């Protein structure tokens, strides 16, 4: 046997799959034309591509191969193809280096009925609600859509072709979310309640020396959210005191600062007053917050300090205006009288 003019012996090949043609007898394919450039099917439908190979006397006129998405189409023994999954794909018909493509669309099995696994959902603002629906027929994988009031709920994610949706509840009141596909609809009511959670601190005032640390004891009360929420800490004056994410307060310099503990995704917060002073710095008697003047604010702080067991000696010296060695409501009253001009001296 000669191949390209070269004598070749002892070639092993499958004669059912491979054939040799003398070059002078070879007629190439010039074109392949499909009768339909596109085909639309439902799942389970079958079709046979109708193609014309030119010229009619081409050597490989009767030999064509198909390339296609086997997850969508299945080739049958008679040469036809059956749609097995919805989607879109190109089926390419190839022979002798020439190709023609047919665009195939397989329709979804439409959803006829949608039902919710629960008739009603509820939760407080900030809660996460997972809603699951069932669709019939069961073998449909068509995507279910959702409509909702985006002021009352926020869509976090939709999975399983829309059969599972996760919403965050954002506003109190009654609302409805709707799962739908064409004319199939399922309305699901949600009742959203006010968030009653709040942060509680064990102390509302502390006195500290510079470089001293204090860890605030903060607890979340009346928590009904099904999502873990953190406490966020801030300082009104970082030159006086700073606070880290776990509520540890570090005294920096002399003065007055308010440390706030806010509940995440809530307007609720609690505060702790921090008074920092060193013995090396002196302030006017009664100037509890060390702002250079005696005001009603100092009287309020003195009243809070009256409930504190062990204020620092420096703060004690500022607030104990009657000099009895302790801070009481009497000191607070005297400071208020001084601030309003009712008295001109404490002793």
């Amino acid at each position: 046997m000669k191949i390209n003019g070269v004598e070749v012996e002892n070639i092993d090949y499958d004669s059912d799959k491979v054939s040799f043609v003398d070059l002078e007898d070879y007629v190439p394919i010039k074109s392949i034309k499909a009768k339909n450039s596109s085909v639309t099917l439902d799942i389970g439908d079958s079709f046979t591509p109708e193609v014309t190979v030119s010229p009619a006397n081409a050597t490989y006129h009767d030999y064509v191969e198909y390339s296609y998405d086997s997850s969508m189409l299945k080739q049958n023994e008679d040469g036809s193809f059956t749609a097995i999954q919805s989607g879109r794909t190109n089926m390419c018909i190839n022979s002798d280096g020439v190709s023609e493509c047919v665009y195939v669309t397989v329709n979804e099995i439409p959803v006829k009925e949608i039902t919710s696994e629960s008739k009603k959902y509820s939760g407080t603002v900030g809660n996460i609600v997972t809603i699951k629906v069932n669709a019939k027929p069961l073998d449909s994988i068509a995507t279910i859509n959702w409509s909702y009031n985006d002021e009352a709920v926020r869509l976090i994610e939709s999975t399983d072709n829309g059969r599972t949706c996760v919403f965050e509840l954002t506003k109190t009141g009654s609302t409805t979310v709707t799962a739908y596909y064409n004319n199939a609809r399922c309305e699901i009511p949600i009742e959203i309640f006010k968030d009653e959670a709040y942060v509680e601190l064990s102390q509302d005032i502390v006195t500290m020396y510079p470089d001293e640390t204090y860890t605030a004891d903060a607890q979340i009360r009346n928590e009904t959210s099904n999502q873990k929420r953190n406490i966020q800490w801030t300082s009104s004056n970082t030159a006086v005191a700073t606070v880290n994410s776990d509520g540890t307060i570090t005294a920096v310099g002399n003065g007055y600062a308010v440390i706030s503990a806010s509940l995440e995704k809530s307007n609720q917060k609690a505060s702790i007053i921090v008074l920092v002073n060193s013995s090396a710095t002196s302030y006017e008697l009664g100037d509890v917050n060390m702002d250079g003047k005696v005001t009603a604010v100092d009287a309020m702080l003195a009243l809070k300090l009256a409930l504190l067991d062990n204020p620092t000696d420096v703060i004690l010296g500022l607030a104990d205006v009657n000099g009895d060695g302790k801070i009481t409501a009497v000191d607070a009253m005297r400071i208020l009288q001084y601030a309003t001009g009712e008295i001109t001296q404490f002793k």
Side-chain angles (χ1 to χ4, degrees):
M1 178 184 298
K2 288 184 179 182
I3 299 179
N4 292 335
V6 178
E7 190 70 32
V8 179
E9 297 180 354
N10 301 323
I11 295 179
D12 291 328
Y13 62 93
D14 187 341
S15 60
D16 291 333
K17 297 181 179 179
V18 179
S19 62
F20 293 92
V21 178
D22 289 335
L23 185 60
E24 57 269 21
D25 297 329
Y26 170 68
V27 179
I29 291 176
K30 293 185 177 181
S31 69
I32 300 175
K33 296 295 183 182
K35 181 178 180 180
N36 298 305
S37 60
S38 64
V39 177
T40 300
L41 307 169
D42 291 327
I43 292 177
D45 286 352
S46 297
F47 83 107
T48 301
E50 296 184 39
V51 298
T52 301
V53 179
S54 298
N57 64 339
T59 301
Y60 297 110
H61 180 278
D62 297 326
Y63 297 93
V64 294
E65 293 181 344
Y66 298 93
S67 58
Y68 54 94
D69 185 345
S70 59
S71 68
M72 287 179 52
L73 300 170
K74 180 184 72 172
Q75 188 171 17
N76 304 309
E77 292 183 0
D78 62 1
S80 64
F81 291 85
T82 300
I84 57 175
Q85 181 175 293
S86 63
R88 296 176 175 85
T89 187
N90 268 320
M91 169 186 283
C92 291
I93 305 150
N94 314 294
S95 183
D96 202 15
V98 180
S99 297
E100 169 78 334
C101 290
V102 177
Y103 191 65
V104 180
T105 300
V106 181
N107 295 326
E108 297 176 326
I109 298 176
V111 172
K112 300 294 186 181
E113 180 183 345
I114 304 172
T115 56
S116 173
E117 290 190 358
S118 179
K119 292 183 178 180
K120 187 176 183 179
Y121 292 83
S122 63
T124 58
V125 171
N127 269 17
I128 300 298
V129 171
T130 300
I131 300 177
K132 294 185 177 182
V133 296
N134 298 312
K136 290 182 179 180
L138 297 178
D139 55 351
S140 171
I141 60 170
T143 299
I144 292 174
N145 300 301
W146 291 80
S147 62
Y148 51 91
N149 180 348
D150 57 11
E151 291 185 356
V153 297
R154 180 175 70 89
L155 177 64
I156 296 178
E157 65 174 353
S158 174
T159 57
D160 191 23
N161 291 336
R163 285 152 178 77
T164 300
C165 264
V166 180
F167 292 96
E168 179 185 5
L169 310 184
T170 57
K171 185 179 180 181
T172 58
S174 300
T175 191
T176 299
V177 297
T178 303
Y180 67 93
Y181 181 93
N182 293 340
N183 294 325
R185 300 175 66 85
C186 178
E187 295 186 347
I188 305 157
I190 303 177
E191 203 65 38
I192 308 173
F193 306 106
K194 182 180 178 182
D195 183 7
E196 300 286 354
Y198 64 93
V199 179
E200 182 178 78
L201 295 170
S202 60
Q203 295 274 61
D204 61 0
I205 189 167
V206 293
T207 61
M208 304 173 70
Y209 293 110
D211 299 324
E212 190 178 1
T213 61
Y214 171 81
T215 300
D217 178 17
Q219 302 293 329
I220 300 176
R221 306 298 186 190
N222 290 351
E223 178 63 287
T224 57
S225 174
N226 55 12
Q227 299 297 301
K228 177 177 172 56
R229 291 193 282 183
N230 297 317
I231 295 175
Q232 299 169 331
W233 297 87
T234 58
S235 170
S236 67
N237 190 347
T238 55
V240 173
T242 61
V243 61
N244 65 13
S245 59
D246 67 2
T248 299
I249 301 167
T250 301
V252 178
N254 294 340
Y256 163 92
V258 176
I259 302 298
S260 297
S262 302
L263 184 58
E264 186 179 16
K265 296 182 180 180
S266 170
N267 294 324
Q268 299 294 327
K269 68 179 181 179
S271 299
I272 182 170
I273 296 169
V274 179
L275 299 174
V276 181
N277 198 356
S278 64
S279 56
T281 307
S282 60
Y283 292 90
E284 180 184 1
L285 185 65
D287 183 13
V288 181
N289 66 359
M290 296 160 282
D291 64 353
K293 54 186 179 293
V294 178
T295 67
V297 173
D298 297 299
M300 179 271 294
L301 293 175
L303 191 60
K304 287 181 175 292
L305 288 168
L307 303 175
L308 197 63
D309 291 335
N310 297 301
T312 61
D313 292 340
V314 175
I315 299 300
L316 175 63
L318 291 175
D320 178 21
V321 294
N322 68 359
D324 64 355
K326 56 184 180 293
I327 303 172
T328 66
V330 173
D331 296 301
M333 179 188 68
R334 297 288 286 172
I335 292 172
L336 183 61
Q337 289 174 327
Y338 185 88
T340 57
E342 188 176 337
I343 61 174
T344 58
Q345 58 183 12
F346 292 114
K347 296 181 183 179

